Amino acid sequence: MNTPIQDFLLQHASKKTTSFHMPGHKGSAFYKRFGHTPFLENMMDCDLTELPGADNLFQVGGIIKEAQDRYARLYGAKKSYFLVNSTSGGVIAAILASVPKGKKLIMARNCHKSVFNALVLGDIQPVYVYPDMIEEYGISGAVSPAQIDKLLSDNPDAEAVILSSPNYYGICSDAEKIADIVHKHGKILIIDEAHGAHLTFFNQYGIKGMPKSAGNSGADIVIMSIHKTLASYTQSAVLNVHSDRVDQRLIEDKLQCIQSTSPSYILMTSLDINASIIEEHGKQVFEEWAENVSYFYENAPKIEGLNVIDKMDGLDPTKLNFSFGGLGINGAELEKILYETYGIYIALHTGDVVMCLTGIGNTKSDVIKLTDALAEIAAERSAGKTAGKSERKAARVIIPKQAELFEIPAYKKRTPLSEAVGLICASSIIPYPPGIPLVCPGEKLDAETVEYIQTLRKRGEKVIGVSEQEEILTGV
């Protein structure tokens, strides 16, 4: 049989690797621990359609409504909606429901590409707010409330504000202050909390050192990838409405436009199971998670040459950010050493910085394995066994910078990347992960950015928007 995807998945599963990437459940052991083995064993027979009694995602009144209502209680929301095409679909629906066609949206420039897709679908004009840059690590930080206030004053015709919090590295913006500002201007605040579905529960159980969740901070709409850090399957998420500023009928209309008419009962069941585990075992699970994370932060300072990002306002400590840049090991090389030598898979790297995403399914032994591996790598490099053998020098990270926004080209042509300097981009160029557009439609390509894209491509990294022929779309 020729089943390349199945072959890869089964081969990977047989390796018994350690996951510090999505999804948050980290494998079947978490479901088995809490008595959900029957679902795992009968999953194929649970793959159903809208049979009598199975309810309907777009007109709930039975079992799906019951499960969604449980999420509303768990998150303190007025209404919760299941998403079967992840946070991306919820983000698009939330924007289309909040911003009329042709109107303005104030948005963080480091938003996920789904926000930019919503701009195209809704013919919406972006007004960018640029997050603070953390120069030391070459990563984006929080969005300033003062910037939001100024942009709302300068653009009274903007209908809503959207930002990602936490961002990919776990840095949260001050959603509470931003919500107060947005509401003072009479607008809607949408928070893409794809990476923060767990924050509400850390807050609820009184675990210290965690940022406040968006739902507890006054956001009107919060969209969360339950699968990223909690226990549902990949592609399952939830959209929570937290205020009466949002027209729920519009939200429901846009969701049925964006989502599949054949929603997966497997995905929805995984959301149901996740909620059940949190309801019945939440305190235990989140306290264990906090203890696991604490082990890393207590022991990481003992590792020579390891630079841990841990003292930063608004940082979600469940995202483990660190680097061995001082030892001459860039992020790409460290990722390779970890998975080839230790069977540890990270979430992403940027320059010298590696981010390990812990989730509800990680165990203490996972964190000990990572910490011990880093200690061993440091000892070997310090002893000179691998000194000077860094395989690839880290490319200097380019953060999307403030740029003049031109009209998005109506007519497009394919242009070799090498000839694109000075032209207007006609389609987003997105290094992946993390999926934040480096160049957006309507922005001019400069030499530094083109060189950076070429460097990423030479290193074999994924850059959406660049073809195999090294061409991009520009204006005619």
Side-chain angles (χ1 to χ4, degrees):
M1 291 186 296
N2 181 24
T3 56
I5 297 175
Q6 175 183 240
D7 294 347
F8 171 82
L9 293 176
L10 292 177
Q11 182 183 31
H12 182 79
S14 70
K15 294 177 181 178
K16 304 298 181 185
T17 58
T18 302
S19 166
F20 286 102
H21 55 78
M22 299 175 283
H25 57 67
K26 311 300 181 182
S28 62
F30 189 74
Y31 274 28
K32 292 174 181 176
R33 175 186 174 188
F34 294 106
H36 295 285
T37 301
F39 173 66
L40 298 175
E41 293 176 342
N42 295 280
M43 197 182 310
M44 199 74 174
D45 296 318
C46 295
D47 187 15
L48 304 177
T49 188
E50 290 89 345
L51 302 176
D55 207 354
N56 186 303
L57 181 61
F58 303 113
Q59 196 171 38
V60 298
I63 59 174
I64 298 176
K65 180 182 185 303
E66 183 180 348
Q68 289 188 156
D69 287 348
R70 179 157 60 174
Y71 270 87
R73 291 194 302 273
L74 283 170
Y75 281 100
K78 289 183 175 293
K79 192 73 177 286
S80 291
Y81 298 94
F82 281 0
L83 306 173
V84 292
N85 57 346
S86 200
T87 290
S88 297
V91 164
I92 293 172
I95 292 171
L96 296 181
S98 304
V99 185
K101 183 179 177 67
K103 297 294 186 178
K104 290 181 181 178
L105 172 70
I106 293 175
M107 58 176 286
R109 179 55 180 77
N110 66 333
C111 278
H112 186 260
K113 66 173 186 162
S114 57
V115 177
F116 295 87
N117 290 338
L119 299 181
V120 175
L121 291 173
D123 189 23
I124 295 166
Q125 302 175 48
V127 178
Y128 294 138
V129 53
Y130 288 79
D132 298 332
M133 181 176 174
I134 304 170
E135 298 282 353
E136 181 181 358
Y137 303 110
I139 61 176
S140 294
V143 171
S144 161
Q147 283 194 68
I148 297 289
D149 197 12
K150 183 179 186 307
L151 288 175
L152 283 168
S153 297
D154 293 345
N155 298 273
D157 52 341
E159 301 288 335
V161 174
I162 186 168
L163 60 138
S164 299
S165 181
N167 67 14
Y168 291 88
Y169 301 92
I171 301 169
C172 294
S173 298
D174 191 335
E176 199 161 23
K177 284 186 180 177
I178 291 173
D180 288 344
I181 289 167
V182 171
H183 297 153
K184 178 186 72 175
H185 287 272
K187 310 301 181 182
I188 292 173
L189 175 60
I190 306 167
I191 299 274
D192 173 356
E193 200 177 45
H195 289 262
H198 56 290
L199 293 179
T200 291
F201 305 109
F202 278 99
N203 296 164
Q204 180 180 324
Y205 295 117
I207 297 170
K208 296 181 179 179
M210 298 297 298
K212 198 171 182 180
S213 70
N216 291 333
S217 298
D220 299 297
I221 305 173
V222 181
I223 312 101
M224 299 172 296
S225 290
I226 306 298
H227 70 91
K228 280 184 167 62
T229 58
L230 298 181
S232 66
Y233 287 2
T234 297
Q235 205 171 311
S236 57
V238 169
L239 183 153
N240 285 334
V241 174
H242 284 275
S243 84
D244 293 327
R245 297 179 185 86
V246 179
D247 188 333
Q248 292 182 16
R249 291 170 300 179
L250 269 179
I251 289 281
E252 291 167 9
D253 177 63
K254 300 308 178 185
L255 283 173
Q256 64 85 23
C257 289
I258 298 299
Q259 298 211 89
S260 169
T261 55
S262 300
S264 167
Y265 276 81
I266 301 297
L267 295 183
M268 291 189 287
T269 302
S270 75
L271 287 168
D272 197 23
I273 290 172
N274 172 74
S276 174
I277 292 172
I278 291 173
E279 272 193 342
E280 296 173 22
H281 308 281
K283 190 173 189 298
Q284 173 192 358
V285 166
F286 287 96
E287 286 180 349
E288 287 177 357
W289 190 352
E291 182 184 337
N292 296 344
V293 169
S294 294
Y295 178 90
F296 177 81
Y297 289 108
E298 288 166 5
N299 288 277
K302 304 171 188 176
I303 300 174
E304 183 180 355
L306 184 67
N307 184 11
V308 178
I309 304 175
D310 59 350
K311 294 178 175 62
M312 190 180 297
D313 290 341
L315 179 65
D316 170 8
T318 68
K319 312 293 192 297
L320 310 180
N321 295 282
F322 52 83
S323 85
F324 273 135
L327 294 181
I329 306 175
N330 65 49
E333 184 187 0
L334 182 54
E335 177 188 37
K336 187 175 182 181
I337 293 170
L338 285 171
Y339 76 74
E340 286 189 349
T341 306
Y342 301 96
I344 297 172
Y345 284 78
I346 69 166
L348 60 90
H349 61 81
T350 301
D352 291 334
V353 175
V354 160
M355 191 275 278
C356 284
L357 188 153
T358 68
I360 198 170
N362 277 120
T363 62
K364 184 73 165 287
S365 62
D366 293 338
V367 180
I368 291 173
K369 182 178 179 180
L370 172 65
T371 308
D372 289 350
L374 294 174
E376 192 172 299
I377 293 166
E380 289 183 357
R381 180 57 59 99
S382 297
K385 293 180 181 178
T386 56
K389 294 184 180 179
S390 178
E391 295 184 6
R392 298 188 284 183
K393 183 179 179 182
R396 186 171 73 82
V397 179
I398 302 294
I399 301 293
K401 51 187 177 291
Q402 202 153 353
E404 183 180 359
L405 189 61
F406 296 86
E407 187 174 341
I408 297 175
Y411 299 97
K412 308 171 185 179
K413 65 176 181 178
R414 295 189 178 277
T415 301
L417 189 56
S418 58
E419 300 173 11
V421 175
L423 300 181
I424 305 301
C425 188
S427 180
S428 295
I429 299 175
I430 310 168
Y432 203 92
I436 298 168
L438 178 65
V439 189
C440 292
E443 293 180 346
K444 185 179 290 187
L445 289 140
D446 59 28
E448 181 186 32
T449 301
V450 169
E451 182 181 357
Y452 179 58
I453 296 167
Q454 291 172 324
T455 299
L456 293 177
R457 292 284 294 175
K458 287 175 184 175
R459 289 170 49 184
E461 298 192 19
K462 301 290 184 184
V463 184
I464 298 170
V466 181
S467 70
E468 291 183 6
Q469 295 75 33
E470 300 295 311
E471 294 178 333
I472 62 172
L473 291 176
T474 65
V476 173

